[in-house]
Amino acid sequence: MNSFGERFRSSLTKLFSSKPNGAETFPSVRYFAVMGELAENYAGTTSVLFHRSNAIATEIRQPVEILVFGHVRDYDKLNEVMHGDGRLGSDVKFRSMWNDLAVLENKKVPAASFPAFSPLDAASTDEVIHGEGVAIRRFRKAEDGKNLQIDLLRPDASIIVSDRRDAPVADHRKSRSIILCDQESQPVLEFSSMNALRYYWLDYVIGHEQAVLFSDTLGMAGITHSYRRSNVAVIQTFHNLHLRHDTIGALGYTGAESLPLLQHIDDFDATVFLSERHLSDVNSLMGPSPKRRVIPNSRSTVSLPTDQPRPRTTGIMLSQLNGRKQPDHAVEAVVIANSRLSNSVSLDIYGQGKEEETLRSTIERL
């Protein structure tokens, strides 16, 4: 474990916790968050990422960058929009990997050759997607529709990266060849995986400075758990239980999508859980670890007047209306409660989602 990671982890419990005198302790380092692509209808986890980034930037009075690996949206434009409507503070901004790679002055490795480099032209391109202020993408596909090659281009059609998934190697096998090009579309560096290219960019952004890198999703965990640098502390937050639907308790913590992360859970400098129960479930399954901490989400709330107590028979649910959030379970629970209680209870549901009409039908049926 790197010494910086050890020092940071020892102060992690204080990171978002006030001292008795009201002060908060933040290590004097650079702070970053990582994400894939910002969804048009992003929800809770992304909102927490923004909230935490804004809070840290306000506390340390220094910029916090949200490092984005996606290439579909125009992140320079999003910076303007989200600064304008207040979702991002003035010291928080998106930084796009593809925007950086498009302008980097990369130097060719001496004596390097690139036999797999075969950029797509009009004859070999099966599909073209034009972005909005972002890279143009050309695709070469197999008969079954699988992508065999993706070239990402600058607005002037020069190549940023040529990602070939069927590059020939010995014994007639195929391998992946990701080639980074200069602004004249000439190959300069080759990578065998997308993570290797991502790490190249992270190294460029962070340099040799001490830094903290926050990761918040299973997808990002698959990238960041093996990003090991002596000057960087990587912190993974679990926002969901990731339990299988047909089980209860720790032994159900084996959903297929969670297994890769669980196998590498202690590769991070620290892993954050939102509740003691969640941490207890993971410790029961994996065994305890000093790297794991509980830091609940934080939000500013308005205190209710003490002379207006909250009615105990009313409740609200705020969530996306989809199967993962299971709002239909909440509706059924209220129906069951009202069949057993002398004083009926009520529930107001706030949200949007693809299952809104189905939920309305369930409410009417019950």
Side-chain angles (χ1 to χ4, degrees):
M1 176 60 59
N2 64 73
S3 58
F4 171 57
E6 290 284 0
R7 292 200 305 276
F8 184 82
R9 195 172 70 228
S10 68
S11 65
L12 184 61
T13 54
K14 301 177 182 179
L15 187 56
F16 298 111
S17 302
S18 295
K19 291 182 177 180
N21 63 6
E24 291 181 335
T25 299
F26 283 77
S28 181
V29 299
R30 295 180 70 189
Y31 289 87
F32 301 93
V34 292
M35 65 183 301
E37 196 82 69
L38 179 64
E40 293 279 358
N41 59 338
Y42 69 84
T45 297
T46 304
S47 296
V48 170
L49 185 157
F50 294 158
H51 177 73
R52 182 186 60 220
S53 299
N54 288 330
I56 293 176
T58 299
E59 180 67 27
I60 66 175
R61 299 178 182 177
Q62 293 179 11
V64 173
E65 291 185 309
I66 301 172
L67 306 181
V68 185
F69 296 125
H71 52 67
V72 172
R73 306 192 66 182
D74 184 343
Y75 288 94
D76 289 338
K77 182 178 179 180
L78 280 171
N79 277 326
E80 295 180 10
V81 170
M82 294 180 69
H83 284 149
D85 61 24
R87 283 178 288 172
L88 292 184
S90 59
D91 284 332
V92 179
K93 70 174 184 177
F94 296 111
R95 182 168 182 170
S96 164
M97 180 176 80
W98 298 100
N99 287 355
D100 277 1
L101 294 180
V103 298
L104 280 181
E105 294 293 336
N106 298 294
K107 295 183 178 180
K108 183 176 180 178
V109 175
S113 62
F114 305 93
F117 184 58
S118 179
L120 299 177
D121 55 23
S124 57
T125 297
D126 295 312
E127 182 183 3
V128 178
I129 296 179
H130 295 270
E132 180 184 348
V134 296
I136 303 166
R137 284 160 287 159
R138 290 176 178 164
F139 297 82
R140 178 169 58 85
K141 297 177 177 289
E143 291 184 359
D144 62 1
K146 182 179 180 180
N147 292 325
L148 297 178
Q149 183 172 338
I150 304 175
D151 286 1
L152 285 98
L153 314 179
R154 299 176 182 85
D156 65 2
S158 61
I159 300 171
I160 305 173
V161 163
S162 181
D163 179 6
R164 186 175 177 186
R165 287 93 183 274
D166 63 345
V169 295
D171 301 326
H172 304 288
R173 291 179 291 110
K174 306 295 182 182
S175 69
R176 191 167 185 178
S177 172
I178 301 172
I179 295 179
L180 179 63
C181 299
D182 62 20
Q183 297 186 35
E184 282 73 46
S185 297
Q186 295 302 305
V188 292
L189 291 171
E190 184 173 21
F191 304 88
S192 60
S193 69
M194 188 56 70
N195 274 358
L197 177 62
R198 292 173 179 130
Y199 297 165
Y200 171 79
W201 176 60
L202 289 176
D203 288 344
Y204 165 76
V205 171
I206 298 173
H208 298 292
E209 297 184 73
Q210 292 187 335
V212 175
L213 194 67
F214 289 103
S215 173
D216 290 272
T217 65
L218 287 176
M220 288 300 99
I223 296 170
T224 57
H225 82 267
S226 56
Y227 183 68
R228 312 303 302 154
R229 301 294 187 268
S230 61
N231 59 309
V232 181
V234 181
I235 301 177
Q236 174 67 33
T237 298
F238 276 79
H239 291 266
N240 301 294
L241 292 177
H242 306 297
L243 290 168
R244 292 206 329 243
H245 289 302
D246 57 345
T247 56
I248 299 175
L251 293 182
Y253 203 94
T254 52
E257 73 280 359
S258 303
L259 286 176
L261 174 56
L262 289 176
Q263 292 169 356
H264 299 286
I265 190 170
D266 291 325
D267 289 352
F268 301 101
D269 292 286
T271 307
V272 173
F273 298 87
L274 304 183
S275 70
E276 294 290 349
R277 173 64 183 272
H278 193 184
L279 174 59
S280 176
D281 279 352
V282 173
N283 286 344
S284 296
L285 180 65
M286 306 296 295
S289 169
K291 295 184 179 183
R292 303 173 198 156
R293 295 287 187 272
V294 173
I295 303 180
N297 287 335
S298 62
R299 287 287 177 178
S300 298
T301 59
V302 178
S303 298
L304 294 175
T306 56
D307 59 346
Q308 297 181 19
R310 178 178 65 84
R312 295 179 58 83
T313 58
T314 63
I316 64 172
M317 178 177 185
L318 303 98
S319 79
Q320 289 185 320
L321 305 182
N322 58 37
R324 187 162 61 90
K325 299 298 185 180
Q326 299 178 327
D328 55 322
H329 288 205
V331 172
E332 293 170 0
V334 169
V335 172
I336 293 172
N338 283 334
S339 70
R340 301 176 181 177
L341 299 176
S342 56
N343 294 324
S344 63
V345 298
S346 65
L347 176 69
D348 293 330
I349 300 176
Y350 296 83
Q352 295 177 321
K354 62 183 180 180
E355 295 194 8
E356 179 176 346
E357 291 305 317
T358 301
L359 186 62
R360 290 184 183 277
S361 297
T362 299
I363 293 172
E364 293 174 4
R365 174 173 56 82
L366 296 177

